[in-house]
Amino acid sequence: MNTKRPKIAVIGAGWAGLSAAVSLIHRADISLFEAGRQAGGRARAIAGKDDGFSFLDNGQHILLGAYHHGVQTLMQHIGVQPESAFLRQPLRWYIHEGLQFQTASLPAPWHLLVGILRAKNLSFSLKIKLLSDMSALQRWAAHHKTDLTVAKWLRTRNVPRSLLGQFWQPLVWGALNTPLEQASLRILCNVLNDGVWSEKANSDYLLPKQDLGRIVAEPALDFLHKHGAKIHLETRVSHLNHHIDGRIEINGEIFDAVVLAVAPYHVDALLPEDTPDYIQTAYQSLHYHAITTVYLRYAQAVKLPAPLTGFADGTAQWVLHRGTLGLPDNEVVVVISVSDCTEAWKDKDLAEKVHADIKRVCPDLDKPEAVRIITEKRATTAATVDFIQPDFSWLHHRRIYPAGDYLHPRYPATLEAAVQSGFAAAEKLMLDLRFE
């Protein structure tokens, strides 16, 4: 058994890498390497010109109350109170001129059952149909081992077009960022099972009141620095080379093990040259989808009917009202999932179309004073049918431990998946080193 305090490198300071480093800091000497100027990965504050907005992130992230095994645990470790960072709101589904309901103040599953029975703009027969389909989906999750696409399952259930457009498609796009024709029904069930189906509190929205840098990235770096970690921002790492004694050399320094927590499309440049083809192929076969975030600031207050207002037939999919968060009430944030699968618009045209959607709810609004459009072209890996996690035994044997949201065995590529993956890589690493 190895009792020496190991020397560990964490490559990548996104949420997975930060989580791994935080998990390891009391048990190992940590060096954190990040090629960019700031930590946070694909969930970070946008540095530089803010165009007068209260803050800008590289995407509008909406978390769930179910995120307590990952994100909320990480925040506790680094001394950030979720209450100060997020506004917690009961799940409220609000589609403009469409399905509208809010979970009831009852334990699960009654919170959802009663909420849907009280829904607006939906006939009683369609309410019963929606509840019947949800019940059937729970039974499917419990008894079927073979995965299939969400679209195929919906066809077997003869889901009406109105429910498809006002509930199932927005749900799948928002949760999985994957078109229905490719989206995994199994992964969708995992999200629902651990969220809205499990207990009422797990279905709550956690809406960020601060930029993502202040919520996790900056406090995590401060925590790591305080506990002795060496932090190397704007530092690129070349191919991982094995030292003669089996340890790993990084930029001329020798480490006992490495957590590899970079985006999957950067992994190939770092893997040892003798890495088996099947591992490289697994990374190269991943598919990605984009998310576009549109920030708009108006001269007057925007009065939206719900904190999150959805559109079943608009360019905008979800509009977040920042006034609800205690931020300026003249700012809104629009989320467009799978934006690579929609018609490509120039920024000016996209802004006009999004503004036109908002005017459907707020007809008195003048044109926005400022607009900022941010598209993450590879925001998430696709949550497709029968995704099989690569066998990393070869890498583990060589003391390399991949981590990232795309590697979670049950969830789509979310912040919760990233944090849990970082924790899991850290635990696997320490377990392996302990018995060498």
Side-chain angles (χ1 to χ4, degrees), residues 36-170:
R37 295 181 178 180
Q38 63 187 116
R42 294 193 299 275
R44 67 186 187 279
I46 298 294
K49 185 180 178 183
D50 60 11
D51 295 325
F53 289 95
S54 52
F55 65 85
L56 297 171
D57 286 327
N58 71 323
Q60 175 62 57
H61 290 266
I62 298 167
L63 291 77
L64 298 176
Y67 287 8
H68 40 72
H69 295 300
V71 173
Q72 294 185 60
T73 297
L74 172 62
M75 294 174 70
Q76 291 171 4
H77 286 327
I78 61 178
V80 177
Q81 297 298 320
E83 295 79 12
S84 66
F86 301 109
L87 174 69
R88 189 171 193 128
Q89 292 257 305
L91 187 153
R92 185 178 180 187
W93 188 269
Y94 190 102
I95 300 294
H96 176 61
E97 296 181 340
L99 175 61
Q100 299 166 11
F101 69 88
Q102 181 171 324
T103 52
S105 298
L106 296 167
W110 302 103
H111 70 308
L112 186 59
L113 174 66
V114 172
I116 291 176
L117 288 176
R118 293 175 177 172
K120 297 179 180 179
N121 302 330
L122 197 67
S123 68
F124 182 75
S125 62
L126 286 180
K127 293 176 184 178
I128 298 302
K129 173 60 175 170
L130 179 55
L131 290 171
S132 173
D133 289 339
M134 284 192 177
S135 178
L137 187 54
Q138 287 180 294
R139 292 194 300 273
W140 182 92
H143 297 105
H144 288 76
K145 295 182 179 180
T146 303
D147 200 1
L148 72 158
T149 67
V150 175
K152 184 174 182 179
W153 183 83
L154 291 173
R155 285 194 292 270
T156 66
R157 296 292 302 174
N158 294 314
V159 173
R161 180 173 297 182
S162 58
L163 287 178
L164 182 65
Q166 296 177 38
F167 183 76
W168 292 105
Q169 182 166 280

Side-chain angles (χ1 to χ4, degrees), residues 166-348:
Q166 296 177 38
F167 183 76
W168 292 105
Q169 182 166 280
L171 173 68
V172 174
W173 283 4
L176 275 58
N177 194 39
T178 304
L180 274 64
E181 291 74 17
Q182 290 89 45
S184 162
L185 190 66
R186 176 71 59 193
I187 295 176
L188 176 63
C189 287
N190 293 339
V191 172
L192 294 173
N193 188 62
D194 294 352
V196 69
W197 289 344
S198 59
E199 57 181 90
K200 184 184 183 301
N202 284 353
S203 66
D204 290 349
Y205 293 136
L206 300 180
L207 305 174
K209 297 188 289 185
Q210 307 169 6
D211 68 70
L212 295 170
R214 290 173 62 192
I215 290 176
V216 164
E218 294 169 14
L221 288 183
D222 290 343
F223 175 86
L224 292 169
H225 181 75
K226 177 181 176 181
H227 289 86
K230 297 178 181 178
I231 299 170
H232 307 276
L233 299 179
E234 297 185 80
T235 303
R236 293 195 175 275
V237 172
S238 56
H239 271 293
L240 302 178
N241 297 311
H242 282 93
H243 197 255
I244 192 170
D245 63 1
R247 293 183 295 167
I248 301 171
E249 181 178 344
I250 298 176
N251 293 357
E253 193 172 356
I254 305 300
F255 294 89
D256 293 302
V258 175
V259 175
L260 187 56
V262 300
Y265 41 84
H266 292 317
V267 169
D268 188 53
L270 298 174
L271 291 175
E273 294 182 357
D274 58 342
T275 300
D277 289 342
Y278 71 84
I279 294 178
Q280 296 175 342
T281 300
Y283 278 106
Q284 293 165 0
S285 63
L286 292 171
H287 298 285
Y288 304 87
H289 289 297
I291 297 176
T292 296
T293 307
V294 184
Y295 295 88
L296 302 101
R297 191 183 74 246
Y298 291 90
Q300 68 267 52
V302 182
K303 297 179 180 179
L304 292 174
L308 276 173
T309 299
F311 293 90
D313 58 350
T315 301
Q317 293 169 12
W318 293 101
V319 183
L320 173 67
H321 185 214
R322 281 193 159 178
T324 305
L325 309 176
L327 298 170
D329 61 6
N330 61 336
E331 295 182 16
V332 297
V333 187
V334 172
V335 180
I336 306 172
S337 298
V338 290
S339 55
D340 54 306
C341 298
T342 60
E343 186 171 353
W345 303 99
K346 294 181 179 179
D347 281 0
K348 181 177 181 295

